[in-house]
Amino acid sequence: MADLLILGNCMIRGLSDCLRVMMGGAHIKTVEWSEIVNKKVDLSEECNGSSVLLGSDGASLEALKAVASKDTTVLGFPTIYYTGFHPDTIYSNYGDGQNRLLSPTGTNHSAIVAHAWLNDMTPSETAGLFNERVFEHLGYFDHWQQSIARLRDQFEALGFNFDGRIEEWMKFGCFMHTPNHPKLLVVSAIAKVLLKELGINPKTANPENMLNDNLSSLVIWPVYPEIANRLGISGEYCFKREARFGSEDQPAPVLSLQEYIEASFEMYSHVSSEKFDFGRLSDVRYRDIKDLIFPRRLKGGKAISPYSSLPTSSFWRKSVAAIPPSDVDPVCVPKKRILKTDRIATAGSCFAQHIARRLQRSGYNYCNFEPTPNGTSDAEAFGRGYGVFSARYGNVYTVRQLTQLYDRAYGVFKPTDDIWENIEGRYIDPFRPFIEKYGFTGKIQFLKDREQHLSAVRDMFQSVDIFVFTLGLTEAWRSSKTGAIVPFAPGAVGIAETAEEYEFINFQYEDVRRDLKVFRKQLQLVNPKARIILTVSPVPLIATYEKQHILPATIYSKSVLVSAARDFEKECDEIDYFPSYEIIAGSFNRGTYFKDDLREITDSGVDHVMRIFFKHYVSPTDPQVSDQSMIARELAEGSKILCDEEALEAQG
């Protein structure tokens, strides 16, 4: 008889393998829940002699409790059913409801493909439905937070600590093969908790590194690229079938999206559509997804205007003029989300500080690579530039200034005019002139502080996951000798002797685009996985050196920055543009987001910006429909689905 008995579905073989490795060859027996349901085995007999019974939450756990003796330890573990990576997958019965309808990938079906077949669409038309616009319409992006909420409830109901689980698993990318098949690292995490509950010290903390993942030989559903982008991982349309369909030449049999659609249509054609039971397809949102991509035609063959199928966000009246200013949301489709484990850094104009403060208050991993010295008061620290940004570089107003910061940190750019001396004999850093209010008293102190600072900048670039950069200005001052960009003219900070060596420059669109491209390449050299979020500061210029009025000078500067940032973002998957400038400066708010000086941003304006930022980048997006019960029901039902191989064997 077994010392441990595990009752459940899908993951129990992997769980038993992990426990054996961690316990050093323990005697463990597994029983499939389907064997109990189909009355192939007697549970009381199977449990006899087992000192520990482990059951997946739900019916199997209750069944174990019913037959356990008083001396037997009974523990539950969560049934992992997670549609966040694969919101398009559904299951279907047909006929009398006892038969599982099969697809080219076993019991997993695409809801979009099933809907398309039932509505007589062609395979080519069906492939056209796989895009971000359709996914948004169907609420696919809402599955992530719904799945997390359900899993959290399961873990906590069983006494498992859920905090940090998703973030830890996400370090390895997608942690599910299909919605009901977790990867071995998830199973291993559950095994560790069970051993802790049993008071057993494991021989190894990472059994997943020593075992084959048995579930990887079954179906692996792809993470669609549009969904993967939201999650900050890679995605593709590549549907892996079970290993038994493979061959020596193709050990992992895969289907492209087009092949999967055509194979699905072929299999569906052999079963009467009247007998299909795709529960989710009753959702009204599926009825008009074709019209999102293929506009309907009127009688006489005249096509409806291409604007007729656009979302509300495409129309000024519906999304701006006719709603309260506080509800205006100009973000449509952000590329990626920020996880709480992501290391976040900020740089740029003053407005970047708002983002930094809000992220810190909300418990996100905002990093300060140049911490405040011990014994420094908060007021003194702020005055000396500590904690204002992720390193003590002060305001980085232009992209050229940012690229030169990188080059100076890595010794690529060594301008000779890199130290100023004021009339009091104190030393000023031209690139961050206000980090010491009165300057450095000695050159050695100055050089030591700069080296420490540039070292912190290197650490930041090399280790950051999310770099938020707020573009502030196009106007700058440049050394006529070296081309070094400084944030202020020497005379503006009390340096008279070298003032004539600097010239005014107003960067144009092409300059900003080129500098953004340079910085992206720089960051990729030392940190290829880093992502960039670009914003433009809504704060107007305080002064201009152009021979024109400050108002058109401000409009020019902001227009160049917005255009360059938005156009560059379109070219790069790892770069997002967040419209903070548009929210604050937009006419919809009637100027209420500026204080009396028409420059400083009000608290309500900052709140609006950060609410939209958190909504789309670090917290769940508002669903397009208020009723989330469809996803909740599907998650609850999905966790009861039998393992793929069991359903397939039943058909044999």
Side-chain angles (χ1 to χ4, degrees):
M1 291 295 178
D3 297 319
L4 277 76
L5 181 140
I6 308 176
L7 175 63
N9 296 321
C10 301
M11 56 183 273
I12 62 172
R13 177 180 163 189
L15 183 61
S16 65
D17 288 345
C18 287
L19 289 171
R20 285 191 181 96
V21 171
M22 297 169 79
M23 297 171 69
H27 188 202
I28 302 174
K29 183 175 183 178
T30 59
V31 178
E32 298 280 356
W33 177 243
S34 60
E35 295 178 302
I36 306 300
V37 173
N38 297 323
K39 299 182 179 179
K40 291 184 178 180
V41 299
D42 183 287
L43 185 59
S44 298
E45 185 177 325
E46 294 295 327
C47 293
N48 187 26
S50 298
S51 57
V52 177
L53 306 178
L54 307 176
S56 57
D57 59 333
S60 61
L61 180 58
E62 294 305 313
L64 287 177
K65 290 179 179 178
V67 300
S69 65
K70 63 179 181 179
D71 297 325
T72 304
T73 300
V74 181
L75 294 177
F77 56 87
T79 301
I80 306 296
Y81 188 79
Y82 197 91
T83 62
F85 295 106
H86 312 113
D88 187 41
T89 54
I90 55 175
Y91 302 93
S92 175
N93 296 328
Y94 71 93
D96 58 3
Q98 299 301 310
N99 297 310
R100 185 75 68 197
L101 180 68
L102 298 183
S103 79
T105 47
T107 57
N108 295 280
H109 298 257
S110 160
I112 291 175
V113 172
H115 166 84
W117 188 80
L118 289 169
N119 286 273
D120 299 319
M121 294 177 65
T122 67
S124 294
E125 287 177 324
T126 305
L129 295 176
F130 284 80
N131 63 72
E132 196 149 26
R133 190 172 166 197
V134 170
F135 298 163
E136 190 83 50
H137 174 75
L138 295 177
Y140 281 6
F141 300 115
D142 299 329
H143 278 246
W144 183 260
Q145 292 297 333
Q146 289 282 326
S147 292
I148 289 178
R150 181 187 181 278
L151 208 54
R152 177 181 292 279
D153 289 345
Q154 280 186 286
F155 270 62
E156 292 179 352
L158 294 167
F160 281 43
N161 179 21
F162 187 74
D163 291 340
R165 296 285 181 190
I166 298 297
E167 291 82 359
E168 179 65 28
W169 298 337
M170 280 293 290
K171 291 179 181 178
F172 302 92
C174 175
F175 53 80
M176 301 293 294
H177 296 304
T178 62
N180 64 323
H181 279 186
K183 290 186 178 179
L184 197 59
L185 68 101
V186 177
V187 179
S188 171
I190 292 171
K192 294 171 191 175
V193 176
L194 290 172
L195 282 191
K196 186 176 180 180
E197 287 292 313
L198 294 171
I200 298 174
N201 292 322
K203 289 194 170 184
T204 175
N206 301 106
E208 69 274 14
N209 296 333
M210 307 172 188
L211 296 166
N212 291 323
D213 188 343
N214 66 294
L215 294 179
S216 67
S217 66
L218 303 175
V219 170
I220 297 179
W221 197 270
V223 183
Y224 301 162
E226 296 82 359
I227 292 168
N229 282 339
R230 294 283 187 101
L231 304 176
I233 62 175
S234 60
E236 61 180 348
Y237 286 110
C238 186
F239 299 77
K240 178 191 168 291
R241 307 181 73 190
E242 284 193 70
R244 66 190 181 97
F245 290 105
S247 63
E248 245 181 72
D249 296 332
Q250 191 184 21
V254 296
L255 300 172
S256 66
L257 176 60
Q258 190 70 28
E259 289 171 333
Y260 172 79
I261 293 170
E262 292 172 356
S264 296
F265 278 23
E266 167 62 22
M267 294 185 72
Y268 295 160
S269 67
H270 297 291
V271 182
S272 172
S273 61
E274 296 178 357
K275 297 181 178 181
F276 284 12
D277 178 19
F278 288 110
R280 189 203 296 180
L281 300 188
S282 62
D283 188 332
V284 294
R285 288 177 291 182
Y286 282 87
R287 296 177 189 173
D288 55 1
I289 59 173
K290 183 177 179 180
D291 295 329
L292 290 174
I293 309 301
F294 310 103
R296 293 166 290 181
R297 293 183 176 275
L298 298 173
K299 290 183 179 180
K302 184 180 179 181
I304 289 178
S305 165
Y307 290 92
S308 61
S309 60
L310 293 178
T312 300
S313 59
S314 297
F315 298 91
W316 182 267
R317 183 184 63 80
K318 295 178 180 178
S319 63
V320 180
I323 63 176
S326 60
D327 291 343
V328 172
D329 178 0
V331 177
C332 288
V333 185
K335 292 178 181 177
K336 299 177 177 70
R337 291 191 182 280
I338 299 174
L339 302 174
K340 282 210 169 183
T341 52
D342 284 335
R343 294 167 64 84
I344 306 165
T346 59
S349 74
C350 303
F351 195 73
Q353 298 170 40
H354 292 298
I355 296 176
R357 283 198 292 268
R358 295 298 176 95
L359 286 169
Q360 285 177 292
R361 290 176 191 169
S362 300
Y364 281 81
N365 191 15
Y366 180 79
C367 296
N368 183 359
F369 292 87
E370 204 165 354
T372 307
N374 292 333
T376 306
S377 68
D378 291 343
E380 181 188 357
F382 184 80
R384 295 176 62 194
Y386 286 104
V388 178
F389 297 101
S390 294
R392 199 164 163 241
Y393 30 65
N395 291 118
V396 180
Y397 288 113
T398 65
V399 189
R400 184 71 57 83
Q401 191 182 345
L402 178 65
T403 64
Q404 290 187 358
L405 172 64
Y406 177 98
D407 285 341
R408 289 191 301 110
Y410 285 95
V412 177
F413 181 45
K414 298 180 180 180
T416 54
D417 48 347
D418 64 346
I419 185 169
W420 291 343
E421 187 175 352
N422 64 18
I423 57 176
E424 296 174 347
R426 291 176 177 267
Y427 297 97
I428 306 295
D429 191 331
F431 306 105
R432 46 188 192 136
F434 294 116
I435 58 160
E436 291 289 341
K437 187 174 181 179
Y438 303 107
F440 292 90
T441 55
K443 186 175 281 189
I444 293 178
Q445 177 198 16
F446 171 91
L447 295 174
K448 182 179 179 181
D449 186 90
R450 172 180 283 175
E451 180 52 43
Q452 178 180 306
H453 165 64
L454 294 179
S455 175
V457 171
R458 291 193 296 272
D459 290 343
M460 177 187 71
F461 284 140
Q462 289 165 199
S463 62
V464 69
D465 296 307
I466 309 289
F467 184 70
V468 182
F469 181 64
T470 302
L471 293 81
L473 301 173
T474 54
E475 296 188 13
W477 289 84
R478 176 175 60 188
S479 168
S480 57
K481 292 182 177 180
T482 66
I485 299 295
V486 294
F488 299 98
V493 291
I495 309 296
E497 294 180 3
T498 59
E500 68 278 1
E501 298 175 1
Y502 285 80
E503 59 188 7
F504 172 74
I505 182 173
N506 197 357
F507 292 111
Q508 299 179 2
Y509 171 86
E510 292 80 7
D511 300 319
V512 178
R513 277 288 302 276
R514 189 183 310 114
D515 289 340
L516 284 170
K517 187 177 292 187
V518 168
F519 177 69
R520 179 192 178 218
K521 289 182 178 179
Q522 289 173 326
L523 189 58
Q524 286 181 329
L525 277 175
V526 296
N527 189 349
K529 293 184 178 180
R531 291 151 47 197
I532 302 172
I533 297 178
L534 298 174
T535 69
V536 171
S537 170
V539 179
L541 276 65
I542 196 168
T544 179
Y545 200 72
E546 288 283 3
K547 302 301 183 280
Q548 61 174 310
H549 193 279
I550 186 67
L551 181 59
T554 294
I555 298 299
Y556 169 82
S557 184
K558 301 302 180 180
S559 298
V560 166
L561 296 176
V562 169
S563 299
R566 289 196 72 98
D567 287 351
F568 186 62
E569 178 240 9
K570 294 176 184 177
E571 301 176 7
C572 311
D573 289 339
E574 79 282 6
I575 295 177
D576 249 319
Y577 174 81
F578 177 72
S580 57
Y581 171 79
E582 291 83 341
I583 294 172
I584 298 299
S587 60
F588 70 91
N589 64 56
R590 282 76 172 173
T592 57
Y593 287 166
F594 288 101
K595 293 186 178 181
D596 290 343
D597 63 0
L598 300 183
R599 290 193 73 252
E600 192 175 353
I601 312 301
T602 64
D603 290 343
S604 60
V606 175
D607 287 343
H608 191 162
V609 169
M610 297 313 302
R611 184 171 67 252
I612 299 301
F613 185 83
F614 272 68
K615 171 183 173 183
H616 291 286
Y617 288 90
V618 297
S619 62
T621 57
D622 286 342
Q624 292 204 351
V625 292
S626 59
D627 180 15
Q628 291 293 293
S629 59
M630 180 66 73
I631 298 175
R633 286 198 303 271
E634 202 165 300
L635 285 165
E637 289 301 316
S639 64
K640 302 174 186 175
I641 295 294
L642 296 180
C643 202
D644 284 349
E645 63 267 33
E646 297 167 2
L648 291 172
E649 287 174 0
Q651 304 295 318

